Amino acid sequence: MIARATDGSGNRDTLNRERVVRAAAELADERGIDSVTMRELGRRLGVEAASLYNHVTGKDDLLSGMADLAAAEIDLPSIDVDWKEAMRRRAVSAREAFGRHRWASGLMDSRKWSGPYSLYYADRVLGTLINAGFSPVIASWAFIGIDSYIYGFERQRSNLSMSEDVDTVEVAQETLAAIPQGALPSLAAVAMEYAEKPYDEAAAFEFGLDLILDSLERQLEADSATRR
Amino acid sequence: MIARATDGSGNRDTLNRERVVRAAAELADERGIDSVTMRELGRRLGVEAASLYNHVTGKDDLLSGMADLAAAEIDLPSIDVDWKEAMRRRAVSAREAFGRHRWASGLMDSRKWSGPYSLYYADRVLGTLINAGFSPVIASWAFIGIDSYIYGFERQRSNLSMSEDVDTVEVAQETLAAIPQGALPSLAAVAMEYAEKPYDEAAAFEFGLDLILDSLERQLEADSATRR
DNA sequence: ACCTGAACACCGTTCAAGT
DNA sequence: ACCTGAACACCGTTCAAGT
């Protein structure tokens, strides 16, 4: 008799934390993180906003749950693979996850990074690097460096309005047209390139990623040569 | 006769956009970005919240002004200096500015990056790189890569609760104590290091920065060797 | 055990009214 | 030209009351 019990989700039993969090993530995917309000989420679940507090301690808890959901989509490096390849896969899969859930990277900013899962995650990353021969401190710096790059790149995505659904050729042409003759020559030069060949986001991401990984590799080689 | 006209700021004339924005930045510095509400800001300026709309079109405009204020504190690379040193100074001064204004990096996330000042800024950075011998596309990728790292690193700061006012030795000891014997061995190894020698944030930042800059330099050298 | 309805304190913003 | 006071639509959250 109750609509919620048999609605489209195919989930026939009552509300619980997981269903609430999942619905919030879907809402954010479809209409942006700002539209995730307790009232709107309640509406989506056929329930009053106040009822959500039976399954989630508050909005903060809800957002943490959403962040966990997205984090779980990022590949854990497997111990037995080459460290460079492992870091590469991790970075690429993170970028893909953030592409699917544009709200995720911003959410991980504010939320503390200390759940049991993220500790395990950190251990695996650090373990991969230490196994490869990096000292614990250098491994931690490398971890921080790679992650900084991953999250920072995601930030730029929305920033320069160079998301996938934007015609970068068009943006470049408009930028070019807006620049007064002779002013900003370097920016004009770049815009001229992109007016012909569109901006390849994945290529840009991997270019920067490889700058970091190549330097790390070189440092590892130099270090083992010294010890020999 | 009016208190506001002669108050501590030493600014005797009436309210204007600059004073409003500056007061908002100070409020954010002292009590966090969340405490910047129109009502609270009005209280600080001795005025009703509604009055602020005479000087600022809305809260969005206010936040943009704050972001501009912080951006102006980041060094523009001077054309005549070595590209690597220029990028280095830019990155270091950005990190310092974000340290003074913890709200700044998060604010630049959401705000579009297309004001006349930031276009000029981009031109200078790109110009420095192109002058050094990078192609326009590679220069833009390098620009994006370095900026991603800068902003991403700032993000991590708050994240791992490794800010300046936190005793990282203590955090490491607590982490170590919380890890069950034998579990998370790599994380434990890192924590053990930091329990003895505190985490050096500036060193970590420059380590990652140099990974990027060194790779760029190497690429430049290899490229010019090919052309010779 | 879970949901509702109403309330509370707080937002950003608008607008007629004052000076 | 700038400020006030009151209002509006919207938040997150609490809590007694229902079932």
Side-chain angles (χ1 to χ4, degrees):
Chain A
M1 278 308 143
I2 306 166
R4 172 166 44 83
T6 53
D7 72 0
S9 79
N11 215 325
R12 40 182 26 266
D13 38 24
T14 177
L15 229 47
N16 55 38
R17 185 185 149 90
E18 198 198 322
R19 281 196 60 202
V20 169
V21 170
R22 205 168 289 279
E26 283 167 18
L27 180 56
D29 284 345
E30 292 169 19
R31 297 181 26 214
I33 187 68
D34 282 347
S35 71
V36 178
T37 68
M38 301 303 270
R39 283 172 173 84
E40 182 61 36
L41 182 56
R43 207 168 300 140
R44 194 183 178 92
L45 289 164
V47 116
E48 294 298 314
S51 304
L52 299 173
Y53 289 81
N54 286 310
H55 306 104
V56 132
T57 69
K59 182 152 190 188
D60 232 58
D61 185 36
L62 177 69
L63 296 178
S64 288
M66 292 171 67
D68 290 345
L69 217 64
E73 292 186 20
I74 301 177
D75 278 357
L76 258 180
S78 52
I79 287 281
D80 52 346
V81 81
D82 169 60
W83 71 270
K84 206 176 170 188
E85 182 59 24
M87 291 303 115
R88 206 157 207 300
R89 277 192 210 160
R90 180 173 82 86
V92 168
S93 91
R95 194 182 78 86
E96 286 168 354
F98 292 154
R100 285 189 294 272
H101 312 297
R102 302 278 276 251
W103 40 268
S105 116
L107 230 52
M108 295 182 184
D109 276 26
S110 39
R111 246 121 287 286
K112 276 262 175 317
W113 217 67
S114 52
Y117 175 77
S118 59
L119 290 184
Y120 176 68
Y121 182 91
D123 185 67
R124 282 281 279 275
V125 174
L126 292 170
T128 302
L129 292 169
I130 291 174
N131 270 359
F134 292 100
S135 77
V137 169
I138 296 294
S140 74
W141 286 359
F143 184 20
I144 289 172
I146 296 169
D147 268 32
S148 292
Y149 176 71
I150 295 172
Y151 284 96
F153 188 89
E154 179 57 26
R155 187 203 78 96
Q156 306 244 9
R157 220 196 313 222
S158 42
N159 224 352
L160 268 162
S161 64
M162 282 192 166
S163 48
E164 294 147 31
D165 37 336
V166 168
D167 185 346
T168 57
V169 169
E170 211 168 276
V171 171
Q173 286 169 340
E174 283 165 16
T175 303
L176 210 50
I179 296 175
Q181 187 73 352
L184 312 177
S186 304
L187 190 61
V190 171
M192 236 156 79
E193 296 279 344
Y194 287 127
E196 283 172 17
K197 218 180 68 176
Y199 171 71
D200 185 341
E201 184 179 278
F205 179 74
E206 301 196 13
F207 174 83
L209 179 61
D210 285 336
L211 293 179
I212 296 175
L213 296 180
D214 287 349
S215 267
L216 283 172
E217 187 172 36
R218 191 169 305 274
Q219 207 158 303
L220 197 61
E221 284 165 359
D223 197 51
S224 71
T226 306
R227 291 217 188 122
R228 205 176 298 137
Chain B
M1 277 310 141
I2 306 165
R4 173 166 43 81
T6 53
D7 72 359
S9 79
N11 217 324
R12 40 182 27 264
D13 38 25
T14 177
L15 229 48
N16 56 38
R17 185 186 147 91
E18 199 199 322
R19 282 196 61 201
V20 169
V21 170
R22 206 168 287 280
E26 283 167 19
L27 180 56
D29 283 344
E30 291 168 21
R31 297 178 30 210
I33 187 69
D34 283 346
S35 70
V36 177
T37 68
M38 299 305 268
R39 282 172 174 81
E40 183 61 37
L41 182 56
R43 206 169 300 138
R44 193 184 179 92
L45 289 165
V47 117
E48 293 299 313
S51 304
L52 298 174
Y53 289 82
N54 286 311
H55 308 103
V56 135
T57 69
K59 182 152 190 188
D60 232 57
D61 185 35
L62 178 70
L63 296 178
S64 289
M66 293 172 67
D68 289 345
L69 217 64
E73 293 186 21
I74 302 177
D75 278 357
L76 258 179
S78 52
I79 286 282
D80 53 345
V81 81
D82 169 60
W83 72 269
K84 207 174 170 189
E85 182 58 24
M87 291 302 115
R88 207 158 205 296
R89 278 192 209 159
R90 180 173 81 88
V92 168
S93 91
R95 195 183 77 86
E96 285 167 356
F98 292 154
R100 285 190 295 272
H101 311 296
R102 302 279 274 252
W103 41 268
S105 117
L107 229 52
M108 294 183 186
D109 276 27
S110 37
R111 244 121 289 287
K112 276 262 174 318
W113 218 67
S114 51
Y117 177 77
S118 59
L119 290 184
Y120 177 66
Y121 182 90
D123 184 66
R124 281 282 278 274
V125 174
L126 291 170
T128 303
L129 293 169
I130 292 174
N131 271 358
F134 292 101
S135 77
V137 169
I138 295 295
S140 74
W141 286 359
F143 184 20
I144 290 172
I146 296 171
D147 268 33
S148 292
Y149 176 72
I150 295 173
Y151 284 95
F153 189 90
E154 179 57 27
R155 188 203 77 97
Q156 306 243 8
R157 217 190 324 218
S158 44
N159 224 352
L160 268 163
S161 63
M162 280 191 167
S163 48
E164 293 147 31
D165 39 334
V166 168
D167 186 346
T168 58
V169 169
E170 212 168 274
V171 171
Q173 286 170 341
E174 282 165 17
T175 304
L176 209 51
I179 296 174
Q181 187 72 354
L184 312 178
S186 303
L187 189 61
V190 171
M192 237 155 79
E193 295 279 345
Y194 286 126
E196 284 172 17
K197 217 179 67 171
Y199 170 71
D200 184 342
E201 186 180 278
F205 179 75
E206 300 195 14
F207 174 82
L209 179 62
D210 286 335
L211 292 179
I212 296 175
L213 296 180
D214 287 348
S215 267
L216 282 173
E217 187 173 34
R218 192 169 308 276
Q219 209 158 303
L220 196 63
E221 284 164 1
D223 198 49
S224 70
T226 305
R227 291 217 189 124
R228 207 178 298 142

